[in-house]
Amino acid sequence: MASNEKAIDGAGDEELVLEAETAKYCESWSPDGKFLLYRTVPGDNSARRELWTLPLFGDRKPVPYLQTKFDEHWASFRLMRKWIYVYHPMSQKHRT
């Protein structure tokens, strides 16, 4: 599965952002456009969903952000860029 990016005005070619064997869903872009926050969704349901960040500069190597016993959902960068909001449906708690 691959994720691509393209300029909103349609100019230029699509560029590969992330390629992976499992499904990945974009949760949030950082306000400065430098990071993508996404969650993994295993195809066989044998593992939980986890949150990762992907720097959109340099080597663009994904970095694990949050790996817990819960499935992380609805994560988003806060506008001040100092926090990430995460909801854990199993724990019924919100984290920042």
PDB file of all heavy atoms in Angstrom, residues 49-81:
ATOM      1  N   ARG A  49      -3.722  -1.103  16.534  1.00  0.00           N
ATOM      2  CA  ARG A  49      -3.359   0.070  15.739  1.00  0.00           C
ATOM      3  C   ARG A  49      -2.351   0.899  16.526  1.00  0.00           C
ATOM      4  O   ARG A  49      -2.468   1.026  17.733  1.00  0.00           O
ATOM      5  CB  ARG A  49      -4.601   0.894  15.440  1.00  0.00           C
ATOM      6  CG  ARG A  49      -5.577   0.174  14.559  1.00  0.00           C
ATOM      7  CD  ARG A  49      -6.876   0.961  14.475  1.00  0.00           C
ATOM      8  NE  ARG A  49      -7.829   0.283  13.655  1.00  0.00           N
ATOM      9  CZ  ARG A  49      -8.807  -0.508  14.119  1.00  0.00           C
ATOM     10  NH1 ARG A  49      -8.947  -0.692  15.413  1.00  0.00           N
ATOM     11  NH2 ARG A  49      -9.636  -1.099  13.295  1.00  0.00           N
ATOM     12  N   GLU A  50      -1.393   1.452  15.822  1.00  0.00           N
ATOM     13  CA  GLU A  50      -0.368   2.271  16.459  1.00  0.00           C
ATOM     14  C   GLU A  50      -0.220   3.584  15.707  1.00  0.00           C
ATOM     15  O   GLU A  50      -0.571   3.686  14.538  1.00  0.00           O
ATOM     16  CB  GLU A  50       0.966   1.521  16.472  1.00  0.00           C
ATOM     17  CG  GLU A  50       0.904   0.238  17.276  1.00  0.00           C
ATOM     18  CD  GLU A  50       2.195  -0.546  17.216  1.00  0.00           C
ATOM     19  OE1 GLU A  50       2.987  -0.360  16.274  1.00  0.00           O
ATOM     20  OE2 GLU A  50       2.412  -1.350  18.120  1.00  0.00           O
ATOM     21  N   LEU A  51       0.318   4.578  16.388  1.00  0.00           N
ATOM     22  CA  LEU A  51       0.548   5.888  15.775  1.00  0.00           C
ATOM     23  C   LEU A  51       2.022   6.066  15.432  1.00  0.00           C
ATOM     24  O   LEU A  51       2.900   5.712  16.224  1.00  0.00           O
ATOM     25  CB  LEU A  51       0.113   7.010  16.717  1.00  0.00           C
ATOM     26  CG  LEU A  51      -1.378   7.091  16.992  1.00  0.00           C
ATOM     27  CD1 LEU A  51      -1.653   8.184  18.020  1.00  0.00           C
ATOM     28  CD2 LEU A  51      -2.147   7.351  15.718  1.00  0.00           C
ATOM     29  N   TRP A  52       2.238   6.628  14.267  1.00  0.00           N
ATOM     30  CA  TRP A  52       3.583   6.891  13.771  1.00  0.00           C
ATOM     31  C   TRP A  52       3.645   8.314  13.241  1.00  0.00           C
ATOM     32  O   TRP A  52       2.634   8.871  12.833  1.00  0.00           O
ATOM     33  CB  TRP A  52       3.912   5.946  12.619  1.00  0.00           C
ATOM     34  CG  TRP A  52       4.047   4.514  13.023  1.00  0.00           C
ATOM     35  CD1 TRP A  52       3.035   3.674  13.424  1.00  0.00           C
ATOM     36  CD2 TRP A  52       5.233   3.755  13.065  1.00  0.00           C
ATOM     37  NE1 TRP A  52       3.544   2.438  13.705  1.00  0.00           N
ATOM     38  CE2 TRP A  52       4.892   2.458  13.492  1.00  0.00           C
ATOM     39  CE3 TRP A  52       6.557   4.040  12.782  1.00  0.00           C
ATOM     40  CZ2 TRP A  52       5.834   1.450  13.643  1.00  0.00           C
ATOM     41  CZ3 TRP A  52       7.496   3.022  12.934  1.00  0.00           C
ATOM     42  CH2 TRP A  52       7.133   1.751  13.358  1.00  0.00           C
ATOM     43  N   THR A  53       4.833   8.894  13.251  1.00  0.00           N
ATOM     44  CA  THR A  53       5.051  10.177  12.589  1.00  0.00           C
ATOM     45  C   THR A  53       5.993   9.943  11.415  1.00  0.00           C
ATOM     46  O   THR A  53       6.835   9.048  11.445  1.00  0.00           O
ATOM     47  CB  THR A  53       5.662  11.238  13.527  1.00  0.00           C
ATOM     48  OG1 THR A  53       6.908  10.761  14.028  1.00  0.00           O
ATOM     49  CG2 THR A  53       4.721  11.562  14.667  1.00  0.00           C
ATOM     50  N   LEU A  54       5.806  10.750  10.400  1.00  0.00           N
ATOM     51  CA  LEU A  54       6.660  10.679   9.224  1.00  0.00           C
ATOM     52  C   LEU A  54       7.156  12.082   8.915  1.00  0.00           C
ATOM     53  O   LEU A  54       6.357  12.958   8.570  1.00  0.00           O
ATOM     54  CB  LEU A  54       5.884  10.134   8.023  1.00  0.00           C
ATOM     55  CG  LEU A  54       6.660  10.060   6.717  1.00  0.00           C
ATOM     56  CD1 LEU A  54       7.733   8.978   6.792  1.00  0.00           C
ATOM     57  CD2 LEU A  54       5.718   9.802   5.557  1.00  0.00           C
ATOM     58  N   PRO A  55       8.455  12.329   9.091  1.00  0.00           N
ATOM     59  CA  PRO A  55       8.978  13.639   8.705  1.00  0.00           C
ATOM     60  C   PRO A  55       8.931  13.759   7.186  1.00  0.00           C
ATOM     61  O   PRO A  55       9.256  12.806   6.478  1.00  0.00           O
ATOM     62  CB  PRO A  55      10.413  13.630   9.226  1.00  0.00           C
ATOM     63  CG  PRO A  55      10.755  12.206   9.481  1.00  0.00           C
ATOM     64  CD  PRO A  55       9.477  11.456   9.634  1.00  0.00           C
ATOM     65  N   LEU A  56       8.499  14.894   6.680  1.00  0.00           N
ATOM     66  CA  LEU A  56       8.399  15.096   5.237  1.00  0.00           C
ATOM     67  C   LEU A  56       9.624  15.830   4.704  1.00  0.00           C
ATOM     68  O   LEU A  56       9.542  16.590   3.752  1.00  0.00           O
ATOM     69  CB  LEU A  56       7.103  15.852   4.917  1.00  0.00           C
ATOM     70  CG  LEU A  56       5.846  15.091   5.323  1.00  0.00           C
ATOM     71  CD1 LEU A  56       4.603  15.939   5.115  1.00  0.00           C
ATOM     72  CD2 LEU A  56       5.740  13.775   4.576  1.00  0.00           C
ATOM     73  N   PHE A  57      10.756  15.566   5.327  1.00  0.00           N
ATOM     74  CA  PHE A  57      12.038  16.129   4.924  1.00  0.00           C
ATOM     75  C   PHE A  57      13.100  15.090   5.239  1.00  0.00           C
ATOM     76  O   PHE A  57      12.819  14.084   5.885  1.00  0.00           O
ATOM     77  CB  PHE A  57      12.319  17.445   5.662  1.00  0.00           C
ATOM     78  CG  PHE A  57      12.261  17.300   7.164  1.00  0.00           C
ATOM     79  CD1 PHE A  57      13.385  16.949   7.900  1.00  0.00           C
ATOM     80  CD2 PHE A  57      11.060  17.488   7.846  1.00  0.00           C
ATOM     81  CE1 PHE A  57      13.322  16.795   9.274  1.00  0.00           C
ATOM     82  CE2 PHE A  57      10.988  17.337   9.217  1.00  0.00           C
ATOM     83  CZ  PHE A  57      12.122  16.987   9.939  1.00  0.00           C
ATOM     84  N   GLY A  58      14.291  15.302   4.755  1.00  0.00           N
ATOM     85  CA  GLY A  58      15.385  14.373   5.024  1.00  0.00           C
ATOM     86  C   GLY A  58      15.114  12.998   4.427  1.00  0.00           C
ATOM     87  O   GLY A  58      14.608  12.880   3.319  1.00  0.00           O
ATOM     88  N   ASP A  59      15.411  11.948   5.206  1.00  0.00           N
ATOM     89  CA  ASP A  59      15.253  10.589   4.688  1.00  0.00           C
ATOM     90  C   ASP A  59      13.820  10.059   4.773  1.00  0.00           C
ATOM     91  O   ASP A  59      13.524   8.974   4.295  1.00  0.00           O
ATOM     92  CB  ASP A  59      16.202   9.627   5.396  1.00  0.00           C
ATOM     93  CG  ASP A  59      15.909   9.480   6.884  1.00  0.00           C
ATOM     94  OD1 ASP A  59      14.950  10.106   7.385  1.00  0.00           O
ATOM     95  OD2 ASP A  59      16.640   8.732   7.544  1.00  0.00           O
ATOM     96  N   ARG A  60      12.907  10.832   5.373  1.00  0.00           N
ATOM     97  CA  ARG A  60      11.481  10.468   5.490  1.00  0.00           C
ATOM     98  C   ARG A  60      11.291   9.087   6.120  1.00  0.00           C
ATOM     99  O   ARG A  60      10.433   8.326   5.719  1.00  0.00           O
ATOM    100  CB  ARG A  60      10.785  10.529   4.137  1.00  0.00           C
ATOM    101  CG  ARG A  60      10.686  11.914   3.568  1.00  0.00           C
ATOM    102  CD  ARG A  60       9.829  11.937   2.340  1.00  0.00           C
ATOM    103  NE  ARG A  60       9.566  13.311   1.943  1.00  0.00           N
ATOM    104  CZ  ARG A  60       8.608  13.659   1.121  1.00  0.00           C
ATOM    105  NH1 ARG A  60       7.818  12.763   0.608  1.00  0.00           N
ATOM    106  NH2 ARG A  60       8.433  14.918   0.810  1.00  0.00           N
ATOM    107  N   LYS A  61      12.063   8.800   7.118  1.00  0.00           N
ATOM    108  CA  LYS A  61      11.959   7.510   7.802  1.00  0.00           C
ATOM    109  C   LYS A  61      10.872   7.595   8.882  1.00  0.00           C
ATOM    110  O   LYS A  61      10.925   8.452   9.759  1.00  0.00           O
ATOM    111  CB  LYS A  61      13.302   7.150   8.442  1.00  0.00           C
ATOM    112  CG  LYS A  61      13.301   5.803   9.110  1.00  0.00           C
ATOM    113  CD  LYS A  61      14.655   5.471   9.687  1.00  0.00           C
ATOM    114  CE  LYS A  61      14.579   4.144  10.419  1.00  0.00           C
ATOM    115  NZ  LYS A  61      15.848   3.813  11.049  1.00  0.00           N
ATOM    116  N   PRO A  62       9.858   6.678   8.850  1.00  0.00           N
ATOM    117  CA  PRO A  62       8.796   6.693   9.865  1.00  0.00           C
ATOM    118  C   PRO A  62       9.355   6.455  11.268  1.00  0.00           C
ATOM    119  O   PRO A  62      10.302   5.702  11.461  1.00  0.00           O
ATOM    120  CB  PRO A  62       7.886   5.534   9.456  1.00  0.00           C
ATOM    121  CG  PRO A  62       8.183   5.295   8.021  1.00  0.00           C
ATOM    122  CD  PRO A  62       9.629   5.659   7.840  1.00  0.00           C
ATOM    123  N   VAL A  63       8.739   7.135  12.242  1.00  0.00           N
ATOM    124  CA  VAL A  63       9.160   7.029  13.633  1.00  0.00           C
ATOM    125  C   VAL A  63       7.948   6.637  14.477  1.00  0.00           C
ATOM    126  O   VAL A  63       6.907   7.292  14.398  1.00  0.00           O
ATOM    127  CB  VAL A  63       9.713   8.385  14.144  1.00  0.00           C
ATOM    128  CG1 VAL A  63      10.105   8.311  15.600  1.00  0.00           C
ATOM    129  CG2 VAL A  63      10.871   8.853  13.278  1.00  0.00           C
ATOM    130  N   PRO A  64       8.043   5.555  15.284  1.00  0.00           N
ATOM    131  CA  PRO A  64       6.915   5.209  16.149  1.00  0.00           C
ATOM    132  C   PRO A  64       6.636   6.347  17.124  1.00  0.00           C
ATOM    133  O   PRO A  64       7.562   6.891  17.721  1.00  0.00           O
ATOM    134  CB  PRO A  64       7.371   3.969  16.907  1.00  0.00           C
ATOM    135  CG  PRO A  64       8.682   3.589  16.363  1.00  0.00           C
ATOM    136  CD  PRO A  64       9.178   4.683  15.487  1.00  0.00           C
ATOM    137  N   TYR A  65       5.365   6.720  17.258  1.00  0.00           N
ATOM    138  CA  TYR A  65       5.005   7.779  18.190  1.00  0.00           C
ATOM    139  C   TYR A  65       4.350   7.213  19.440  1.00  0.00           C
ATOM    140  O   TYR A  65       4.725   7.548  20.546  1.00  0.00           O
ATOM    141  CB  TYR A  65       4.076   8.806  17.540  1.00  0.00           C
ATOM    142  CG  TYR A  65       3.597   9.841  18.519  1.00  0.00           C
ATOM    143  CD1 TYR A  65       4.467  10.809  18.988  1.00  0.00           C
ATOM    144  CD2 TYR A  65       2.317   9.806  19.036  1.00  0.00           C
ATOM    145  CE1 TYR A  65       4.056  11.740  19.923  1.00  0.00           C
ATOM    146  CE2 TYR A  65       1.895  10.731  19.969  1.00  0.00           C
ATOM    147  CZ  TYR A  65       2.760  11.691  20.407  1.00  0.00           C
ATOM    148  OH  TYR A  65       2.358  12.585  21.347  1.00  0.00           O
ATOM    149  N   LEU A  66       3.355   6.356  19.269  1.00  0.00           N
ATOM    150  CA  LEU A  66       2.627   5.818  20.416  1.00  0.00           C
ATOM    151  C   LEU A  66       2.285   4.363  20.151  1.00  0.00           C
ATOM    152  O   LEU A  66       1.577   4.052  19.196  1.00  0.00           O
ATOM    153  CB  LEU A  66       1.362   6.639  20.658  1.00  0.00           C
ATOM    154  CG  LEU A  66       0.616   6.406  21.956  1.00  0.00           C
ATOM    155  CD1 LEU A  66       1.506   6.681  23.171  1.00  0.00           C
ATOM    156  CD2 LEU A  66      -0.620   7.278  22.022  1.00  0.00           C
ATOM    157  N   GLN A  67       2.819   3.492  20.994  1.00  0.00           N
ATOM    158  CA  GLN A  67       2.555   2.061  20.894  1.00  0.00           C
ATOM    159  C   GLN A  67       2.172   1.578  22.282  1.00  0.00           C
ATOM    160  O   GLN A  67       3.032   1.452  23.151  1.00  0.00           O
ATOM    161  CB  GLN A  67       3.793   1.334  20.376  1.00  0.00           C
ATOM    162  CG  GLN A  67       4.177   1.797  18.983  1.00  0.00           C
ATOM    163  CD  GLN A  67       5.486   1.209  18.519  1.00  0.00           C
ATOM    164  OE1 GLN A  67       6.460   1.157  19.263  1.00  0.00           O
ATOM    165  NE2 GLN A  67       5.524   0.766  17.285  1.00  0.00           N
ATOM    166  N   THR A  68       0.882   1.338  22.472  1.00  0.00           N
ATOM    167  CA  THR A  68       0.375   0.913  23.773  1.00  0.00           C
ATOM    168  C   THR A  68      -0.489  -0.326  23.599  1.00  0.00           C
ATOM    169  O   THR A  68      -0.649  -0.828  22.487  1.00  0.00           O
ATOM    170  CB  THR A  68      -0.480   2.026  24.422  1.00  0.00           C
ATOM    171  OG1 THR A  68      -1.693   2.168  23.681  1.00  0.00           O
ATOM    172  CG2 THR A  68       0.260   3.347  24.482  1.00  0.00           C
ATOM    173  N   LYS A  69      -1.104  -0.777  24.686  1.00  0.00           N
ATOM    174  CA  LYS A  69      -2.008  -1.926  24.591  1.00  0.00           C
ATOM    175  C   LYS A  69      -3.360  -1.537  23.998  1.00  0.00           C
ATOM    176  O   LYS A  69      -4.187  -2.382  23.720  1.00  0.00           O
ATOM    177  CB  LYS A  69      -2.196  -2.569  25.956  1.00  0.00           C
ATOM    178  CG  LYS A  69      -2.881  -1.683  26.974  1.00  0.00           C
ATOM    179  CD  LYS A  69      -3.015  -2.381  28.313  1.00  0.00           C
ATOM    180  CE  LYS A  69      -3.712  -1.483  29.316  1.00  0.00           C
ATOM    181  NZ  LYS A  69      -3.910  -2.155  30.591  1.00  0.00           N
ATOM    182  N   PHE A  70      -3.591  -0.238  23.794  1.00  0.00           N
ATOM    183  CA  PHE A  70      -4.852   0.257  23.252  1.00  0.00           C
ATOM    184  C   PHE A  70      -4.727   0.540  21.759  1.00  0.00           C
ATOM    185  O   PHE A  70      -3.641   0.737  21.241  1.00  0.00           O
ATOM    186  CB  PHE A  70      -5.287   1.543  23.964  1.00  0.00           C
ATOM    187  CG  PHE A  70      -5.481   1.369  25.436  1.00  0.00           C
ATOM    188  CD1 PHE A  70      -4.574   1.908  26.328  1.00  0.00           C
ATOM    189  CD2 PHE A  70      -6.556   0.655  25.929  1.00  0.00           C
ATOM    190  CE1 PHE A  70      -4.744   1.750  27.695  1.00  0.00           C
ATOM    191  CE2 PHE A  70      -6.740   0.489  27.290  1.00  0.00           C
ATOM    192  CZ  PHE A  70      -5.828   1.039  28.176  1.00  0.00           C
ATOM    193  N   ASP A  71      -5.868   0.590  21.087  1.00  0.00           N
ATOM    194  CA  ASP A  71      -5.917   1.043  19.700  1.00  0.00           C
ATOM    195  C   ASP A  71      -6.043   2.559  19.709  1.00  0.00           C
ATOM    196  O   ASP A  71      -7.013   3.090  20.227  1.00  0.00           O
ATOM    197  CB  ASP A  71      -7.131   0.455  18.973  1.00  0.00           C
ATOM    198  CG  ASP A  71      -6.948  -0.998  18.605  1.00  0.00           C
ATOM    199  OD1 ASP A  71      -5.798  -1.483  18.630  1.00  0.00           O
ATOM    200  OD2 ASP A  71      -7.952  -1.649  18.290  1.00  0.00           O
ATOM    201  N   GLU A  72      -5.067   3.234  19.128  1.00  0.00           N
ATOM    202  CA  GLU A  72      -5.102   4.691  19.093  1.00  0.00           C
ATOM    203  C   GLU A  72      -5.904   5.158  17.884  1.00  0.00           C
ATOM    204  O   GLU A  72      -5.764   4.613  16.792  1.00  0.00           O
ATOM    205  CB  GLU A  72      -3.695   5.274  19.036  1.00  0.00           C
ATOM    206  CG  GLU A  72      -2.973   5.274  20.354  1.00  0.00           C
ATOM    207  CD  GLU A  72      -2.434   3.930  20.789  1.00  0.00           C
ATOM    208  OE1 GLU A  72      -2.058   3.129  19.941  1.00  0.00           O
ATOM    209  OE2 GLU A  72      -2.388   3.692  21.994  1.00  0.00           O
ATOM    210  N   HIS A  73      -6.747   6.164  18.086  1.00  0.00           N
ATOM    211  CA  HIS A  73      -7.596   6.712  17.026  1.00  0.00           C
ATOM    212  C   HIS A  73      -7.613   8.226  17.098  1.00  0.00           C
ATOM    213  O   HIS A  73      -7.327   8.819  18.117  1.00  0.00           O
ATOM    214  CB  HIS A  73      -9.057   6.261  17.202  1.00  0.00           C
ATOM    215  CG  HIS A  73      -9.284   4.814  16.973  1.00  0.00           C
ATOM    216  ND1 HIS A  73      -9.544   4.283  15.747  1.00  0.00           N
ATOM    217  CD2 HIS A  73      -9.293   3.772  17.842  1.00  0.00           C
ATOM    218  CE1 HIS A  73      -9.724   2.985  15.853  1.00  0.00           C
ATOM    219  NE2 HIS A  73      -9.571   2.665  17.107  1.00  0.00           N
ATOM    220  N   TRP A  74      -8.050   8.848  16.009  1.00  0.00           N
ATOM    221  CA  TRP A  74      -8.368  10.271  15.960  1.00  0.00           C
ATOM    222  C   TRP A  74      -7.269  11.163  16.544  1.00  0.00           C
ATOM    223  O   TRP A  74      -7.534  12.101  17.274  1.00  0.00           O
ATOM    224  CB  TRP A  74      -9.702  10.555  16.638  1.00  0.00           C
ATOM    225  CG  TRP A  74     -10.807   9.694  16.141  1.00  0.00           C
ATOM    226  CD1 TRP A  74     -11.119   9.454  14.824  1.00  0.00           C
ATOM    227  CD2 TRP A  74     -11.730   8.948  16.914  1.00  0.00           C
ATOM    228  NE1 TRP A  74     -12.186   8.594  14.756  1.00  0.00           N
ATOM    229  CE2 TRP A  74     -12.584   8.271  16.026  1.00  0.00           C
ATOM    230  CE3 TRP A  74     -11.936   8.779  18.270  1.00  0.00           C
ATOM    231  CZ2 TRP A  74     -13.598   7.448  16.450  1.00  0.00           C
ATOM    232  CZ3 TRP A  74     -12.946   7.967  18.693  1.00  0.00           C
ATOM    233  CH2 TRP A  74     -13.767   7.308  17.787  1.00  0.00           C
ATOM    234  N   ALA A  75      -6.063  10.873  16.199  1.00  0.00           N
ATOM    235  CA  ALA A  75      -4.945  11.695  16.672  1.00  0.00           C
ATOM    236  C   ALA A  75      -4.823  12.934  15.800  1.00  0.00           C
ATOM    237  O   ALA A  75      -5.117  12.897  14.606  1.00  0.00           O
ATOM    238  CB  ALA A  75      -3.656  10.888  16.617  1.00  0.00           C
ATOM    239  N   SER A  76      -4.400  14.021  16.392  1.00  0.00           N
ATOM    240  CA  SER A  76      -4.196  15.242  15.615  1.00  0.00           C
ATOM    241  C   SER A  76      -3.160  16.133  16.272  1.00  0.00           C
ATOM    242  O   SER A  76      -3.046  16.169  17.486  1.00  0.00           O
ATOM    243  CB  SER A  76      -5.507  16.012  15.434  1.00  0.00           C
ATOM    244  OG  SER A  76      -5.982  16.460  16.675  1.00  0.00           O
ATOM    245  N   PHE A  77      -2.406  16.827  15.424  1.00  0.00           N
ATOM    246  CA  PHE A  77      -1.476  17.824  15.930  1.00  0.00           C
ATOM    247  C   PHE A  77      -2.274  19.005  16.455  1.00  0.00           C
ATOM    248  O   PHE A  77      -3.265  19.410  15.867  1.00  0.00           O
ATOM    249  CB  PHE A  77      -0.553  18.318  14.815  1.00  0.00           C
ATOM    250  CG  PHE A  77       0.517  17.345  14.427  1.00  0.00           C
ATOM    251  CD1 PHE A  77       0.386  16.567  13.290  1.00  0.00           C
ATOM    252  CD2 PHE A  77       1.655  17.223  15.195  1.00  0.00           C
ATOM    253  CE1 PHE A  77       1.376  15.686  12.917  1.00  0.00           C
ATOM    254  CE2 PHE A  77       2.661  16.336  14.836  1.00  0.00           C
ATOM    255  CZ  PHE A  77       2.512  15.556  13.694  1.00  0.00           C
ATOM    256  N   ARG A  78      -1.852  19.549  17.562  1.00  0.00           N
ATOM    257  CA  ARG A  78      -2.458  20.770  18.092  1.00  0.00           C
ATOM    258  C   ARG A  78      -1.834  21.946  17.368  1.00  0.00           C
ATOM    259  O   ARG A  78      -0.702  21.873  16.890  1.00  0.00           O
ATOM    260  CB  ARG A  78      -2.249  20.879  19.597  1.00  0.00           C
ATOM    261  CG  ARG A  78      -2.714  19.692  20.393  1.00  0.00           C
ATOM    262  CD  ARG A  78      -4.162  19.276  20.394  1.00  0.00           C
ATOM    263  NE  ARG A  78      -5.088  19.955  19.555  1.00  0.00           N
ATOM    264  CZ  ARG A  78      -6.290  19.492  19.259  1.00  0.00           C
ATOM    265  NH1 ARG A  78      -6.719  18.384  19.709  1.00  0.00           N
ATOM    266  NH2 ARG A  78      -7.101  20.155  18.478  1.00  0.00           N
ATOM    267  N   LEU A  79      -2.516  23.025  17.304  1.00  0.00           N
ATOM    268  CA  LEU A  79      -2.043  24.171  16.538  1.00  0.00           C
ATOM    269  C   LEU A  79      -0.721  24.744  17.027  1.00  0.00           C
ATOM    270  O   LEU A  79       0.033  25.318  16.262  1.00  0.00           O
ATOM    271  CB  LEU A  79      -3.109  25.262  16.499  1.00  0.00           C
ATOM    272  CG  LEU A  79      -4.352  24.886  15.696  1.00  0.00           C
ATOM    273  CD1 LEU A  79      -5.386  26.001  15.776  1.00  0.00           C
ATOM    274  CD2 LEU A  79      -4.002  24.594  14.257  1.00  0.00           C
ATOM    275  N   MET A  80      -0.441  24.635  18.304  1.00  0.00           N
ATOM    276  CA  MET A  80       0.798  25.205  18.837  1.00  0.00           C
ATOM    277  C   MET A  80       2.005  24.305  18.582  1.00  0.00           C
ATOM    278  O   MET A  80       3.102  24.617  18.974  1.00  0.00           O
ATOM    279  CB  MET A  80       0.653  25.487  20.334  1.00  0.00           C
ATOM    280  CG  MET A  80      -0.445  26.487  20.664  1.00  0.00           C
ATOM    281  SD  MET A  80      -0.249  28.071  19.817  1.00  0.00           S
ATOM    282  CE  MET A  80       1.172  28.704  20.640  1.00  0.00           C
ATOM    283  N   ARG A  81       1.796  23.134  17.961  1.00  0.00           N
ATOM    284  CA  ARG A  81       2.851  22.183  17.590  1.00  0.00           C
ATOM    285  C   ARG A  81       3.605  21.586  18.769  1.00  0.00           C
ATOM    286  O   ARG A  81       4.656  20.993  18.596  1.00  0.00           O
ATOM    287  CB  ARG A  81       3.846  22.827  16.640  1.00  0.00           C
ATOM    288  CG  ARG A  81       3.252  23.216  15.334  1.00  0.00           C
ATOM    289  CD  ARG A  81       4.305  23.743  14.428  1.00  0.00           C
ATOM    290  NE  ARG A  81       4.971  24.888  15.027  1.00  0.00           N
ATOM    291  CZ  ARG A  81       5.339  25.956  14.410  1.00  0.00           C
ATOM    292  NH1 ARG A  81       5.126  26.062  13.133  1.00  0.00           N
ATOM    293  NH2 ARG A  81       5.932  26.942  15.032  1.00  0.00           N
TER     294      ARG A  81
END
